[in-house]
Amino acid sequence: MTMKRVTAFVGSARKKHTYDAVRRFLDNLEARSDVETEIVILSDHRIEACRGCKLCFEMGEDACPLRDDREALVEKMLASDGVVFATPSYMFQVSGTMKTFIDRLSYLGHRPRFFGKAFTNIVTQGLPFESKIGKYLNLVGSCWGFNTVAGSRVTALEPMTPKEEAKVAQMLASHSSRFHKMLLRKGNPSPSLMMLMGFRIGRTTMKLELDERSCDYRYFAERGWFDSEYYYPTRL
């Protein structure tokens, strides 16, 4: 049996609602016997705020002047078959810790590298009508190359009634089942029209504005993306 590795990155310092939802989601995956998991609490790591110098775009991520735990966390993603981003809703968006982490990885939107890996999200909220955060996180995952699975929105009322707890448990069980199917999926899905347009517009811009001095340009050229229909062979 080939074990699949799933790493969840949690953007909450409190080991309560978000952590509990992630733990339940991962327990459901581990119960299938072919998955091993890890939880990474982002606040336990040093992640400095992006300075907007754009050196990661122009010269490569190694040129970033900040020396913190970013690359160690990227290595965890590269070593995983599946990745989960989990965050509470803070003022109708991801937590500051999660946003800082995403901002430090903006170069991945220019140079995606997680093709063939599964991605999903878990969002905990105090109000039952927040939906844009999960869409935002999956857009980030898609831009980085992941195969995305629609996530879960957990309304964490205090205290939770047995009926509400049962509803959350059922939702996370269904979510883990869908994610597990993506983990086992062979190949990549056909891109959406938006993703295809993003690819074509991005590479055309590079051709017109950049050259071999640019890390982004070299990244595309080395992979043959200036002449391909998409990042990978697929039916369009």
Side-chain angles (χ1 to χ4, degrees):
M1 179 187 300
T2 302
M3 295 292 288
K4 297 291 185 180
R5 182 166 186 80
V6 175
T7 305
F9 296 83
V10 178
S12 174
R14 287 204 314 166
K15 287 189 176 181
K16 199 168 184 183
H17 300 303
T18 306
Y19 181 91
D20 289 345
V22 169
R23 185 66 270 165
R24 179 170 287 180
F25 175 83
L26 296 181
D27 286 346
N28 289 334
L29 288 176
E30 290 181 349
R32 299 173 185 274
S33 301
D34 60 351
V35 179
E36 58 182 8
T37 69
E38 179 184 3
I39 294 179
V40 175
I41 307 297
L42 291 177
S43 60
D44 289 344
H45 297 77
R46 190 165 63 89
I47 309 170
E48 296 187 36
C50 176
R51 297 178 182 175
C53 66
K54 298 177 67 174
L55 288 175
C56 62
F57 295 160
E58 298 165 0
M59 300 176 62
E61 57 270 28
D62 291 342
C64 178
L66 304 178
R67 294 291 177 252
D68 53 14
D69 296 333
R70 183 192 67 177
E71 288 310 303
L73 297 175
V74 171
E75 287 300 318
K76 285 183 178 293
M77 287 196 280
L78 288 169
S80 300
D81 301 289
V83 168
V84 183
F85 275 15
T87 179
S89 171
Y90 284 179
M91 284 304 297
F92 313 110
Q93 246 304 338
V94 299
S95 68
T97 304
M98 178 62 74
K99 189 62 170 68
T100 297
F101 182 51
I102 291 172
D103 287 348
R104 288 295 309 287
L105 301 178
S106 292
Y107 66 88
L108 292 171
H110 289 217
R111 303 189 294 274
R113 64 187 60 180
F114 297 114
F115 300 108
K117 298 180 183 292
F119 178 93
T120 194
N121 69 84
I122 296 174
V123 178
T124 56
Q125 57 190 2
L127 299 173
F129 51 75
E130 182 59 69
S131 62
K132 66 182 179 182
I133 298 176
K135 293 178 181 178
Y136 163 70
L137 288 173
N138 268 17
L139 175 60
V140 169
S142 294
C143 290
W144 293 354
F146 285 105
N147 300 334
T148 61
V149 175
S152 290
R153 288 182 289 140
V154 177
T155 302
L157 301 176
E158 294 184 0
M160 292 184 72
T161 67
K163 182 178 180 180
E164 290 164 342
E165 293 229 5
K167 182 180 179 180
V168 169
Q170 183 179 15
M171 176 174 56
L172 291 172
S174 175
H175 184 186
S176 65
S177 178
R178 289 184 285 109
F179 187 71
H180 186 257
K181 288 179 181 179
M182 183 64 81
L183 275 177
L184 300 183
R185 177 174 181 161
K186 297 185 183 299
N188 289 289
S190 296
S192 67
L193 178 60
M194 184 180 73
M195 296 305 297
L196 179 61
M197 289 175 61
F199 169 74
R200 298 290 176 87
I201 292 171
R203 76 172 182 183
T204 298
T205 301
M206 288 185 195
K207 279 184 176 180
L208 294 174
E209 298 183 358
L210 304 178
D211 55 31
E212 286 287 345
R213 291 172 295 180
S214 164
C215 183
D216 287 350
Y217 186 98
R218 295 194 302 272
Y219 193 84
F220 267 62
E222 289 165 1
R223 287 156 181 77
W225 288 347
F226 284 128
D227 302 310
S228 64
E229 292 188 327
Y230 193 60
Y231 293 114
Y232 48 78
T234 183
R235 291 182 62 186
L236 301 180

PDB file of all heavy atoms in Angstrom, residues 41-67:
ATOM      1  N   ILE A  41       0.899  24.427  12.819  1.00  0.00           N
ATOM      2  CA  ILE A  41       0.328  25.667  13.344  1.00  0.00           C
ATOM      3  C   ILE A  41       1.224  26.814  12.891  1.00  0.00           C
ATOM      4  O   ILE A  41       2.370  26.925  13.321  1.00  0.00           O
ATOM      5  CB  ILE A  41       0.243  25.635  14.887  1.00  0.00           C
ATOM      6  CG1 ILE A  41      -0.504  24.378  15.366  1.00  0.00           C
ATOM      7  CG2 ILE A  41      -0.434  26.906  15.404  1.00  0.00           C
ATOM      8  CD1 ILE A  41      -1.941  24.296  14.928  1.00  0.00           C
ATOM      9  N   LEU A  42       0.709  27.653  12.005  1.00  0.00           N
ATOM     10  CA  LEU A  42       1.556  28.687  11.420  1.00  0.00           C
ATOM     11  C   LEU A  42       2.139  29.638  12.460  1.00  0.00           C
ATOM     12  O   LEU A  42       3.266  30.117  12.300  1.00  0.00           O
ATOM     13  CB  LEU A  42       0.756  29.470  10.374  1.00  0.00           C
ATOM     14  CG  LEU A  42       0.397  28.705   9.096  1.00  0.00           C
ATOM     15  CD1 LEU A  42      -0.460  29.575   8.189  1.00  0.00           C
ATOM     16  CD2 LEU A  42       1.647  28.232   8.360  1.00  0.00           C
ATOM     17  N   SER A  43       1.400  29.910  13.519  1.00  0.00           N
ATOM     18  CA  SER A  43       1.898  30.844  14.536  1.00  0.00           C
ATOM     19  C   SER A  43       3.063  30.271  15.332  1.00  0.00           C
ATOM     20  O   SER A  43       3.742  31.012  16.059  1.00  0.00           O
ATOM     21  CB  SER A  43       0.763  31.242  15.486  1.00  0.00           C
ATOM     22  OG  SER A  43       0.236  30.113  16.143  1.00  0.00           O
ATOM     23  N   ASP A  44       3.318  28.972  15.202  1.00  0.00           N
ATOM     24  CA  ASP A  44       4.482  28.366  15.846  1.00  0.00           C
ATOM     25  C   ASP A  44       5.753  28.582  15.030  1.00  0.00           C
ATOM     26  O   ASP A  44       6.843  28.175  15.461  1.00  0.00           O
ATOM     27  CB  ASP A  44       4.261  26.864  16.048  1.00  0.00           C
ATOM     28  CG  ASP A  44       3.229  26.555  17.115  1.00  0.00           C
ATOM     29  OD1 ASP A  44       2.903  27.462  17.909  1.00  0.00           O
ATOM     30  OD2 ASP A  44       2.739  25.410  17.152  1.00  0.00           O
ATOM     31  N   HIS A  45       5.623  29.177  13.857  1.00  0.00           N
ATOM     32  CA  HIS A  45       6.761  29.384  12.970  1.00  0.00           C
ATOM     33  C   HIS A  45       6.966  30.876  12.721  1.00  0.00           C
ATOM     34  O   HIS A  45       6.033  31.670  12.820  1.00  0.00           O
ATOM     35  CB  HIS A  45       6.543  28.654  11.644  1.00  0.00           C
ATOM     36  CG  HIS A  45       6.453  27.173  11.787  1.00  0.00           C
ATOM     37  ND1 HIS A  45       5.319  26.536  12.258  1.00  0.00           N
ATOM     38  CD2 HIS A  45       7.366  26.187  11.547  1.00  0.00           C
ATOM     39  CE1 HIS A  45       5.531  25.230  12.296  1.00  0.00           C
ATOM     40  NE2 HIS A  45       6.752  24.991  11.873  1.00  0.00           N
ATOM     41  N   ARG A  46       8.167  31.223  12.381  1.00  0.00           N
ATOM     42  CA  ARG A  46       8.491  32.633  12.118  1.00  0.00           C
ATOM     43  C   ARG A  46       8.232  32.926  10.645  1.00  0.00           C
ATOM     44  O   ARG A  46       8.932  32.410   9.765  1.00  0.00           O
ATOM     45  CB  ARG A  46       9.940  32.925  12.486  1.00  0.00           C
ATOM     46  CG  ARG A  46      10.295  34.415  12.462  1.00  0.00           C
ATOM     47  CD  ARG A  46      11.599  34.672  13.179  1.00  0.00           C
ATOM     48  NE  ARG A  46      12.714  34.005  12.522  1.00  0.00           N
ATOM     49  CZ  ARG A  46      13.452  34.546  11.536  1.00  0.00           C
ATOM     50  NH1 ARG A  46      13.185  35.767  11.119  1.00  0.00           N
ATOM     51  NH2 ARG A  46      14.452  33.885  11.013  1.00  0.00           N
ATOM     52  N   ILE A  47       7.215  33.722  10.377  1.00  0.00           N
ATOM     53  CA  ILE A  47       6.862  34.105   9.009  1.00  0.00           C
ATOM     54  C   ILE A  47       6.749  35.621   8.985  1.00  0.00           C
ATOM     55  O   ILE A  47       5.788  36.193   9.488  1.00  0.00           O
ATOM     56  CB  ILE A  47       5.529  33.475   8.556  1.00  0.00           C
ATOM     57  CG1 ILE A  47       5.525  31.961   8.812  1.00  0.00           C
ATOM     58  CG2 ILE A  47       5.265  33.767   7.083  1.00  0.00           C
ATOM     59  CD1 ILE A  47       4.180  31.309   8.629  1.00  0.00           C
ATOM     60  N   GLU A  48       7.732  36.273   8.406  1.00  0.00           N
ATOM     61  CA  GLU A  48       7.743  37.729   8.374  1.00  0.00           C
ATOM     62  C   GLU A  48       6.858  38.258   7.248  1.00  0.00           C
ATOM     63  O   GLU A  48       6.590  37.571   6.261  1.00  0.00           O
ATOM     64  CB  GLU A  48       9.179  38.236   8.204  1.00  0.00           C
ATOM     65  CG  GLU A  48      10.082  37.882   9.373  1.00  0.00           C
ATOM     66  CD  GLU A  48      11.438  38.541   9.263  1.00  0.00           C
ATOM     67  OE1 GLU A  48      11.510  39.691   8.785  1.00  0.00           O
ATOM     68  OE2 GLU A  48      12.435  37.897   9.643  1.00  0.00           O
ATOM     69  N   ALA A  49       6.399  39.489   7.393  1.00  0.00           N
ATOM     70  CA  ALA A  49       5.527  40.099   6.398  1.00  0.00           C
ATOM     71  C   ALA A  49       6.302  40.459   5.142  1.00  0.00           C
ATOM     72  O   ALA A  49       7.424  40.950   5.205  1.00  0.00           O
ATOM     73  CB  ALA A  49       4.869  41.351   6.982  1.00  0.00           C
ATOM     74  N   CYS A  50       5.676  40.197   3.984  1.00  0.00           N
ATOM     75  CA  CYS A  50       6.282  40.538   2.698  1.00  0.00           C
ATOM     76  C   CYS A  50       6.557  42.040   2.629  1.00  0.00           C
ATOM     77  O   CYS A  50       5.733  42.864   3.042  1.00  0.00           O
ATOM     78  CB  CYS A  50       5.340  40.124   1.571  1.00  0.00           C
ATOM     79  SG  CYS A  50       5.909  40.587  -0.074  1.00  0.00           S
ATOM     80  N   ARG A  51       7.716  42.411   2.094  1.00  0.00           N
ATOM     81  CA  ARG A  51       8.091  43.813   1.959  1.00  0.00           C
ATOM     82  C   ARG A  51       7.739  44.380   0.584  1.00  0.00           C
ATOM     83  O   ARG A  51       7.973  45.561   0.318  1.00  0.00           O
ATOM     84  CB  ARG A  51       9.600  43.977   2.204  1.00  0.00           C
ATOM     85  CG  ARG A  51      10.030  43.600   3.615  1.00  0.00           C
ATOM     86  CD  ARG A  51      11.536  43.739   3.757  1.00  0.00           C
ATOM     87  NE  ARG A  51      11.986  43.333   5.097  1.00  0.00           N
ATOM     88  CZ  ARG A  51      13.268  43.263   5.453  1.00  0.00           C
ATOM     89  NH1 ARG A  51      14.216  43.582   4.571  1.00  0.00           N
ATOM     90  NH2 ARG A  51      13.604  42.882   6.667  1.00  0.00           N
ATOM     91  N   GLY A  52       7.262  43.557  -0.315  1.00  0.00           N
ATOM     92  CA  GLY A  52       6.882  44.032  -1.638  1.00  0.00           C
ATOM     93  C   GLY A  52       8.055  44.413  -2.521  1.00  0.00           C
ATOM     94  O   GLY A  52       7.907  45.198  -3.466  1.00  0.00           O
ATOM     95  N   CYS A  53       9.236  43.838  -2.284  1.00  0.00           N
ATOM     96  CA  CYS A  53      10.422  44.198  -3.065  1.00  0.00           C
ATOM     97  C   CYS A  53      10.425  43.566  -4.456  1.00  0.00           C
ATOM     98  O   CYS A  53      11.176  43.975  -5.337  1.00  0.00           O
ATOM     99  CB  CYS A  53      11.685  43.808  -2.314  1.00  0.00           C
ATOM    100  SG  CYS A  53      11.895  42.024  -2.095  1.00  0.00           S
ATOM    101  N   LYS A  54       9.620  42.499  -4.643  1.00  0.00           N
ATOM    102  CA  LYS A  54       9.454  41.798  -5.926  1.00  0.00           C
ATOM    103  C   LYS A  54      10.695  41.027  -6.361  1.00  0.00           C
ATOM    104  O   LYS A  54      10.767  40.552  -7.499  1.00  0.00           O
ATOM    105  CB  LYS A  54       9.028  42.768  -7.031  1.00  0.00           C
ATOM    106  CG  LYS A  54       7.687  43.424  -6.777  1.00  0.00           C
ATOM    107  CD  LYS A  54       7.332  44.432  -7.845  1.00  0.00           C
ATOM    108  CE  LYS A  54       7.091  43.766  -9.180  1.00  0.00           C
ATOM    109  NZ  LYS A  54       6.612  44.742 -10.199  1.00  0.00           N
ATOM    110  N   LEU A  55      11.682  40.870  -5.468  1.00  0.00           N
ATOM    111  CA  LEU A  55      12.865  40.114  -5.846  1.00  0.00           C
ATOM    112  C   LEU A  55      12.539  38.648  -6.125  1.00  0.00           C
ATOM    113  O   LEU A  55      13.180  38.014  -6.961  1.00  0.00           O
ATOM    114  CB  LEU A  55      13.927  40.215  -4.739  1.00  0.00           C
ATOM    115  CG  LEU A  55      14.623  41.569  -4.615  1.00  0.00           C
ATOM    116  CD1 LEU A  55      15.564  41.568  -3.412  1.00  0.00           C
ATOM    117  CD2 LEU A  55      15.380  41.908  -5.890  1.00  0.00           C
ATOM    118  N   CYS A  56      11.537  38.111  -5.443  1.00  0.00           N
ATOM    119  CA  CYS A  56      11.159  36.712  -5.690  1.00  0.00           C
ATOM    120  C   CYS A  56      10.609  36.542  -7.104  1.00  0.00           C
ATOM    121  O   CYS A  56      10.744  35.474  -7.719  1.00  0.00           O
ATOM    122  CB  CYS A  56      10.153  36.228  -4.645  1.00  0.00           C
ATOM    123  SG  CYS A  56       8.597  37.121  -4.626  1.00  0.00           S
ATOM    124  N   PHE A  57       9.946  37.582  -7.631  1.00  0.00           N
ATOM    125  CA  PHE A  57       9.455  37.530  -9.002  1.00  0.00           C
ATOM    126  C   PHE A  57      10.605  37.649 -10.005  1.00  0.00           C
ATOM    127  O   PHE A  57      10.662  36.924 -10.989  1.00  0.00           O
ATOM    128  CB  PHE A  57       8.458  38.659  -9.264  1.00  0.00           C
ATOM    129  CG  PHE A  57       7.181  38.572  -8.481  1.00  0.00           C
ATOM    130  CD1 PHE A  57       6.395  39.695  -8.307  1.00  0.00           C
ATOM    131  CD2 PHE A  57       6.762  37.387  -7.913  1.00  0.00           C
ATOM    132  CE1 PHE A  57       5.206  39.633  -7.595  1.00  0.00           C
ATOM    133  CE2 PHE A  57       5.582  37.305  -7.194  1.00  0.00           C
ATOM    134  CZ  PHE A  57       4.798  38.439  -7.034  1.00  0.00           C
ATOM    135  N   GLU A  58      11.491  38.586  -9.750  1.00  0.00           N
ATOM    136  CA  GLU A  58      12.511  38.950 -10.732  1.00  0.00           C
ATOM    137  C   GLU A  58      13.733  38.040 -10.699  1.00  0.00           C
ATOM    138  O   GLU A  58      14.278  37.682 -11.754  1.00  0.00           O
ATOM    139  CB  GLU A  58      12.942  40.394 -10.501  1.00  0.00           C
ATOM    140  CG  GLU A  58      11.797  41.398 -10.675  1.00  0.00           C
ATOM    141  CD  GLU A  58      12.115  42.769 -10.103  1.00  0.00           C
ATOM    142  OE1 GLU A  58      13.234  42.939  -9.558  1.00  0.00           O
ATOM    143  OE2 GLU A  58      11.245  43.652 -10.181  1.00  0.00           O
ATOM    144  N   MET A  59      14.160  37.653  -9.479  1.00  0.00           N
ATOM    145  CA  MET A  59      15.411  36.902  -9.350  1.00  0.00           C
ATOM    146  C   MET A  59      15.206  35.501  -8.775  1.00  0.00           C
ATOM    147  O   MET A  59      16.142  34.699  -8.758  1.00  0.00           O
ATOM    148  CB  MET A  59      16.387  37.688  -8.467  1.00  0.00           C
ATOM    149  CG  MET A  59      16.736  39.064  -9.013  1.00  0.00           C
ATOM    150  SD  MET A  59      17.810  40.014  -7.895  1.00  0.00           S
ATOM    151  CE  MET A  59      19.259  38.967  -7.844  1.00  0.00           C
ATOM    152  N   GLY A  60      14.026  35.212  -8.268  1.00  0.00           N
ATOM    153  CA  GLY A  60      13.772  33.904  -7.669  1.00  0.00           C
ATOM    154  C   GLY A  60      13.586  34.002  -6.173  1.00  0.00           C
ATOM    155  O   GLY A  60      14.066  34.954  -5.536  1.00  0.00           O
ATOM    156  N   GLU A  61      12.890  33.033  -5.601  1.00  0.00           N
ATOM    157  CA  GLU A  61      12.556  33.091  -4.182  1.00  0.00           C
ATOM    158  C   GLU A  61      13.784  33.073  -3.279  1.00  0.00           C
ATOM    159  O   GLU A  61      13.737  33.563  -2.151  1.00  0.00           O
ATOM    160  CB  GLU A  61      11.610  31.953  -3.802  1.00  0.00           C
ATOM    161  CG  GLU A  61      12.106  30.558  -4.107  1.00  0.00           C
ATOM    162  CD  GLU A  61      11.731  30.056  -5.487  1.00  0.00           C
ATOM    163  OE1 GLU A  61      11.564  30.890  -6.405  1.00  0.00           O
ATOM    164  OE2 GLU A  61      11.601  28.828  -5.650  1.00  0.00           O
ATOM    165  N   ASP A  62      14.911  32.527  -3.774  1.00  0.00           N
ATOM    166  CA  ASP A  62      16.126  32.507  -2.963  1.00  0.00           C
ATOM    167  C   ASP A  62      16.678  33.913  -2.733  1.00  0.00           C
ATOM    168  O   ASP A  62      17.493  34.125  -1.824  1.00  0.00           O
ATOM    169  CB  ASP A  62      17.200  31.644  -3.631  1.00  0.00           C
ATOM    170  CG  ASP A  62      16.836  30.165  -3.623  1.00  0.00           C
ATOM    171  OD1 ASP A  62      15.952  29.784  -2.831  1.00  0.00           O
ATOM    172  OD2 ASP A  62      17.431  29.403  -4.405  1.00  0.00           O
ATOM    173  N   ALA A  63      16.238  34.871  -3.551  1.00  0.00           N
ATOM    174  CA  ALA A  63      16.724  36.246  -3.414  1.00  0.00           C
ATOM    175  C   ALA A  63      15.955  37.036  -2.366  1.00  0.00           C
ATOM    176  O   ALA A  63      16.305  38.176  -2.065  1.00  0.00           O
ATOM    177  CB  ALA A  63      16.640  36.971  -4.761  1.00  0.00           C
ATOM    178  N   CYS A  64      14.933  36.438  -1.786  1.00  0.00           N
ATOM    179  CA  CYS A  64      14.149  37.128  -0.762  1.00  0.00           C
ATOM    180  C   CYS A  64      15.062  37.551   0.393  1.00  0.00           C
ATOM    181  O   CYS A  64      15.842  36.740   0.908  1.00  0.00           O
ATOM    182  CB  CYS A  64      13.042  36.216  -0.240  1.00  0.00           C
ATOM    183  SG  CYS A  64      12.043  36.956   1.090  1.00  0.00           S
ATOM    184  N   PRO A  65      14.998  38.815   0.812  1.00  0.00           N
ATOM    185  CA  PRO A  65      15.882  39.283   1.891  1.00  0.00           C
ATOM    186  C   PRO A  65      15.468  38.768   3.267  1.00  0.00           C
ATOM    187  O   PRO A  65      16.243  38.895   4.225  1.00  0.00           O
ATOM    188  CB  PRO A  65      15.755  40.802   1.818  1.00  0.00           C
ATOM    189  CG  PRO A  65      14.386  41.033   1.257  1.00  0.00           C
ATOM    190  CD  PRO A  65      14.167  39.923   0.282  1.00  0.00           C
ATOM    191  N   LEU A  66      14.260  38.223   3.382  1.00  0.00           N
ATOM    192  CA  LEU A  66      13.772  37.738   4.669  1.00  0.00           C
ATOM    193  C   LEU A  66      14.266  36.315   4.902  1.00  0.00           C
ATOM    194  O   LEU A  66      14.143  35.453   4.025  1.00  0.00           O
ATOM    195  CB  LEU A  66      12.244  37.787   4.711  1.00  0.00           C
ATOM    196  CG  LEU A  66      11.617  39.159   4.437  1.00  0.00           C
ATOM    197  CD1 LEU A  66      10.098  39.056   4.458  1.00  0.00           C
ATOM    198  CD2 LEU A  66      12.099  40.184   5.455  1.00  0.00           C
ATOM    199  N   ARG A  67      14.768  36.069   6.059  1.00  0.00           N
ATOM    200  CA  ARG A  67      15.260  34.733   6.407  1.00  0.00           C
ATOM    201  C   ARG A  67      14.445  34.212   7.585  1.00  0.00           C
ATOM    202  O   ARG A  67      14.713  34.529   8.739  1.00  0.00           O
ATOM    203  CB  ARG A  67      16.758  34.800   6.758  1.00  0.00           C
ATOM    204  CG  ARG A  67      17.634  35.167   5.560  1.00  0.00           C
ATOM    205  CD  ARG A  67      17.663  34.042   4.540  1.00  0.00           C
ATOM    206  NE  ARG A  67      18.448  34.412   3.360  1.00  0.00           N
ATOM    207  CZ  ARG A  67      17.920  34.679   2.173  1.00  0.00           C
ATOM    208  NH1 ARG A  67      16.599  34.653   2.026  1.00  0.00           N
ATOM    209  NH2 ARG A  67      18.687  34.970   1.143  1.00  0.00           N
TER     210      ARG A  67
END
